[in-house]
Amino acid sequence: MASEDCQDARIARIAAAIRVIPNFPKTGIMFQDITTLLLDTRAFRDTIDLFVERYKDKDISVVAGIEARGFIFGPPVALAIGAKFVPLRKPNKLPGEVISEEYSLEYGKDKMEMHVGAVQAGEPALVIDDLIATGGTLCAAISLLERVGVHVVECACVIELPELKGRERLGEKPLFVLVDAA
């Protein structure tokens, strides 16, 4: 099997393992549920392997995972590429001194925090999460890291909801996605 065919088979397996739940958490939302992906050991391994293959030779020293599902994919990728894992958390979850970034959601505002000293200026970073919708959370993560001088190389997500145009909101920042939920 050619390498491209192998990758296509892995992407198809990942896409098939994601359960879509209509009208959750509210009417009109088609929720992309990755818990079924996590139950499928082959599809879960394929997900991690595809990220590792992409980033293993990019000299990334920080993998920043967005709470909460970025915590599932970030640590195994970080370990495999020899990078540290930095959690980007919701307010009041980190015990040490933090810096924060406030961002807008369709229903209000939220905040993301990171420990002071977790990253150093100039470090190349990957930001990882399970899904990009409107792009607000990824933009906040990029802003938080760049404020302390980190170079965000790319963002990576398992799933993209292209109709919500989150990729456009990232501007010139590269985004790597495994599955379009179109």
Side-chain angles (χ1 to χ4, degrees):
M1 183 184 270
S3 172
E4 192 172 299
D5 292 341
C6 178
Q7 181 161 324
D8 289 347
R10 292 187 291 177
I11 297 290
R13 196 166 27 253
I14 293 163
I18 298 166
R19 173 174 56 178
V20 178
I21 301 179
N23 301 314
F24 181 83
K26 61 183 184 180
T27 304
I29 302 290
M30 299 296 282
F31 187 81
Q32 305 293 311
D33 181 18
I34 60 147
T35 61
T36 48
L37 168 66
L38 303 175
L39 296 172
D40 183 331
T41 57
R42 189 167 179 201
F44 187 23
R45 179 176 300 281
D46 288 340
T47 303
I48 300 304
D49 287 350
L50 285 164
F51 285 141
V52 169
E53 288 164 18
R54 181 164 180 91
Y55 299 111
K56 67 182 177 189
D57 296 322
K58 295 206 184 230
D59 296 319
I60 290 170
S61 62
V62 174
V63 174
I66 297 173
E67 186 171 350
R69 291 177 294 272
F71 293 5
I72 295 168
F73 301 103
V77 171
L79 285 172
I81 68 172
K84 61 185 172 183
F85 177 75
V86 175
L88 303 180
R89 303 235 31 207
K90 294 175 181 169
N92 305 311
K93 300 288 185 180
L94 293 169
E97 184 183 355
V98 298
I99 61 168
S100 61
E101 183 73 25
E102 189 171 88
Y103 60 103
S104 296
L105 300 166
E106 59 184 289
Y107 50 85
K109 293 196 177 292
D110 207 345
K111 194 181 284 189
M112 181 179 302
E113 296 181 340
M114 174 178 68
H115 272 134
V116 169
V119 295
Q120 305 305 314
E123 283 190 292
L126 167 68
V127 177
I128 195 163
D129 204 358
D130 68 321
L131 179 136
I132 178 171
T134 64
T137 308
L138 283 177
C139 285
I142 293 165
S143 293
L144 186 61
L145 291 162
E146 289 183 342
R147 270 184 31 219
V148 294
V150 169
H151 169 63
V152 177
V153 175
E154 192 164 80
C155 296
C157 294
V158 179
I159 307 162
E160 179 177 10
L161 301 175
E163 68 276 5
L164 297 180
K165 303 189 184 319
R167 182 181 294 265
E168 291 173 17
R169 202 161 159 197
L170 297 180
E172 298 295 314
K173 196 60 65 187
L175 172 67
F176 176 66
V177 173
L178 298 177
V179 176
D180 277 348

